[in-house]
């Protein structure tokens, strides 16, 4: 029930930096009032119930602090700034510190962003078999450093985000070919390739205690890309405990005492090893998977914890949920996208089907990093039915209208669930 004006005055306020509509809706589910801060606040945020808007460029730290500092709730300590994008997370942490509001420390956000320092810290958790890595300041040194680490190995920017600039190289020739794609004077990390099933782990920290909210299984695509995510993920008790210990150890080492986090872990033959971690929730699709399958509302829990509100009522569910990416070959025109999206959405069990590129345009490039051309979300009572549902919807979405026969999207062969019970 919506509170009256008196009750509303005492509700804490979530100050949101260029939020996605799902974040505004989650803040409302947590019982918070919402203020959107953006250069040009979006209409979708309005539709989800954002009550006020502050039109400012939050990337300008002094201006953000000045404009947000005028809010009565901020002056009364009844607010907190939230940012869930790569840049917005750091901006929110800095703003909260400047305004004397609680939140994830800036030092923890930056510690998790520095992949070289994070790798060195996480290696202390398993000193008997650390992950080999080296920093690279000149692209011309990549062939030498990759040979030093051993093949296959991974090249990644030290402070990158969302998979941009990450490459898997299998030999010195591939390293030579990769070098021109980076600036000559650069800041890269070269590290050994971690082989095994990969998990994306969502956690929420309060006063130094880290609560694991759940994890999804990352499905491998070509190279280092993902084909999607699935859950539930059944692990034996020893493996599950080792994953929890690794995530909590990494958060402790970086000083991440409060707020949400997203950690990527590979289950190697030597035990779980860190890929990377962030002081924010995973993508909107990953948090929705946990909500669909388990009833765990990651975003609402993060808002409630940050604002001192009671946890939202959990409605437990037991279902299989999955995310699949659909990508199109360069040169393909996305004609008749509307009817194909409608057909994919009509498949029983599909929760969402959407393009992340404009319809009726020509695809100019292959997907890079974490960016894909289309996404599908679905639920089902069994893993087999979930797989069939997503395959059918992907076929409809990926079909070339010039081809009368159904066409399969470009997907890697299904791989065995190594290490999963």
């Amino acid at each position: 029930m919506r509170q009256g004006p008196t009750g509303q005055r005492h509700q804490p306020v979530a100050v949101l930096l260029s939020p996605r509509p799902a974040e505004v809706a989650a803040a409302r589910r947590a019982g918070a009032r919402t203020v959107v801060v953006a250069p040009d606040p979006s209409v979708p945020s309005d539709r989800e119930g954002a009550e006020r808007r502050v039109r400012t460029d939050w990337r300008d730290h002094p201006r953000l602090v000045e404009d947000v500092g005028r809010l009565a709730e901020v002056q009364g300590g009844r607010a907190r700034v939230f940012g869930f994008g790569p840049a917005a997370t750091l901006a929110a942490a800095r703003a909260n510190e400047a305004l004397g509001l609680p939140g994830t420390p800036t030092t923890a956000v930056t510690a998790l962003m520095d992949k070289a320092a994070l790798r060195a810290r996480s290696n202390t958790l398993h000193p008997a078999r650390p992950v080999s890595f080296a920093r690279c300041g000149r692209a011309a040194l990549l062939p030498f450093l990759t040979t030093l680490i051993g093949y296959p190995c991974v090249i990644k920017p030290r402070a990158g985000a969302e998979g941009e600039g990450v490459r898997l190289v299998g030999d010195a020739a591939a390293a030579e070919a990769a070098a021109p794609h980076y600036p000559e004077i650069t800041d890269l990390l070269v590290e050994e390739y971690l082989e095994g099933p990969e998990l994306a782990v969502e956690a929420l920290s309060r006063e130094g205690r880290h609560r694991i909210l759940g994890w999804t299984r990352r499905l491998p695509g070509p190279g280092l890309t993902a084909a999607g995510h699935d859950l539930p993920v059944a692990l034996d008790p020893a493996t599950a405990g080792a994953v929890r210990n690794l995530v909590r150890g990494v958060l402790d080492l970086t000083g991440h005492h409060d707020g949400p986090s997203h950690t990527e872990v590979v289950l190697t033959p030597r035990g779980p090893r860190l890929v990377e971690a962030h002081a924010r929730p995973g993508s909107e699709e990953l948090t929705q998977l946990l909500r669909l399958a388990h009833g765990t509302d990651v975003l609402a829990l993060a808002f409630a914890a940050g604002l001192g509100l009671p946890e939202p009522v959990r409605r437990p569910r037991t279902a299989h949920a999955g995310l699949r990416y659909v990508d199109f070959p360069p040169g393909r025109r996305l004609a008749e996208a509307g009817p194909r999206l409608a057909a994919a959405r009509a498949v029983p069990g599909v929760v969402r089907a959407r393009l992340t590129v404009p319809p009726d345009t020509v695809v100019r490039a292959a997907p890079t990093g974490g960016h894909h051309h289309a996404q599908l979300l679905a639920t089902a009572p069994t893993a087999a039915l979930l797989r069939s549902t997503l395959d059918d919807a992907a076929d409809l979405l990926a079909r070339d209208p010039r081809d009368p026969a159904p066409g399969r999207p470009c997907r890697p062969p299904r791989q065995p669930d190594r290490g999963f019970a």
Side-chain angles (χ1 to χ4, degrees):
M1 180 182 296
R2 178 178 288 272
Q3 296 185 8
T6 301
Q8 284 185 347
R9 281 199 298 270
H10 296 286
Q11 280 181 281
V13 169
V15 180
L16 309 172
L17 306 185
S18 290
R20 300 167 297 185
E23 293 163 13
V24 182
R28 300 283 292 173
R29 288 196 301 273
R33 297 165 62 195
T34 52
V35 174
V36 169
V37 180
D40 184 15
S42 63
V43 171
S45 294
D46 293 344
R47 287 202 302 265
E48 294 295 342
E51 298 170 27
R52 282 180 287 168
R53 284 149 295 282
V54 175
R55 184 163 300 195
T56 193
D57 186 352
W58 50 263
R59 293 166 297 185
D60 184 334
H61 176 67
R63 184 175 174 185
L64 171 64
V65 171
E66 180 181 358
D67 290 350
V68 171
R70 296 193 184 104
L71 298 174
E73 294 86 354
V74 170
Q75 295 174 1
R78 302 191 310 278
R80 178 177 164 183
V81 184
F82 294 87
F84 290 158
T89 300
L90 181 58
R94 295 182 65 206
N96 284 323
E97 288 185 351
L99 295 165
L101 302 175
T104 306
T106 300
T107 53
V109 177
T110 55
L112 290 168
M113 292 172 65
D114 185 341
K115 292 181 173 59
L118 184 59
R119 176 61 69 200
R121 285 172 167 164
S122 67
N123 274 346
T124 65
L125 299 172
H126 34 77
R129 186 56 177 87
V131 177
S132 300
F133 76 100
R135 286 188 55 187
C136 177
R138 283 186 171 273
L141 293 175
L142 283 173
F144 167 73
L145 290 175
T146 56
T147 302
L148 188 67
I149 295 299
Y151 300 108
C153 60
V154 176
I155 303 170
K156 61 174 67 173
R158 181 184 173 194
E162 298 184 338
E164 290 298 323
V166 180
R167 292 176 179 269
L168 175 65
V169 295
D171 51 37
E176 288 273 9
H181 293 276
Y182 298 100
E184 176 54 32
I185 305 300
T186 187
D187 196 356
L188 301 172
L189 192 64
V190 180
E191 59 184 21
E192 69 172 282
Y193 173 64
L194 299 173
E195 187 171 5
E198 186 171 338
L199 303 177
V201 184
E202 305 302 319
L204 183 62
S205 303
R206 297 189 72 173
E207 298 179 347
R209 301 185 66 181
H210 313 297
R211 175 182 171 191
I212 307 300
L213 300 177
W215 48 56
T216 61
R217 173 183 56 173
R218 182 182 187 269
L219 304 180
L224 293 175
T225 64
H229 288 258
D230 277 349
L231 77 160
V233 183
L235 301 179
D236 64 81
T239 302
V243 170
R244 292 188 178 96
N245 289 339
L246 174 61
V247 171
R248 289 169 175 151
V250 167
L251 297 177
D252 282 340
L253 287 169
T254 56
H256 183 88
H257 298 145
D258 291 280
S261 62
H262 169 81
T263 306
E264 297 167 14
V265 175
V266 173
L267 305 181
T268 77
R270 303 181 302 275
R273 294 293 185 268
L274 175 73
V275 177
E276 57 185 50
H278 307 278
R280 52 185 168 86
S283 69
E284 176 183 339
E285 291 74 28
L286 294 189
T287 58
Q288 188 168 1
L289 283 183
L290 286 168
R291 194 173 174 213
L292 288 170
H294 299 324
T296 301
D297 196 337
V298 174
L299 295 178
L301 286 168
F303 285 116
L307 293 167
L309 290 165
E311 283 196 0
V313 176
R314 182 171 179 262
R315 295 173 174 81
R317 303 175 185 175
T318 303
H320 291 261
L323 162 69
R324 291 294 182 277
Y325 299 118
V326 179
D327 295 309
F328 307 98
R332 168 86 171 272
R333 175 174 288 280
L334 302 184
E336 302 178 13
R340 287 186 288 127
L341 280 169
R345 290 172 183 143
V347 175
V350 171
V351 176
R352 175 191 289 179
R354 72 184 184 100
L355 291 176
T356 56
V357 292
D360 201 30
T361 58
V362 175
V363 175
R364 299 298 181 188
T368 59
H371 301 286
H372 295 270
H373 300 141
Q375 300 171 344
L376 294 165
L377 279 171
T379 62
T382 68
L385 185 55
L386 175 66
R387 184 182 301 123
S388 176
T389 297
L390 287 166
D391 284 352
D392 289 346
D395 288 346
L396 292 167
L397 189 56
R399 183 182 302 171
D400 190 330
R402 297 170 299 182
D403 183 357
R408 289 273 178 184
C410 296
R411 290 196 292 264
R414 191 169 296 133
Q415 303 200 12
D417 296 343
R418 296 165 295 174
F420 292 111

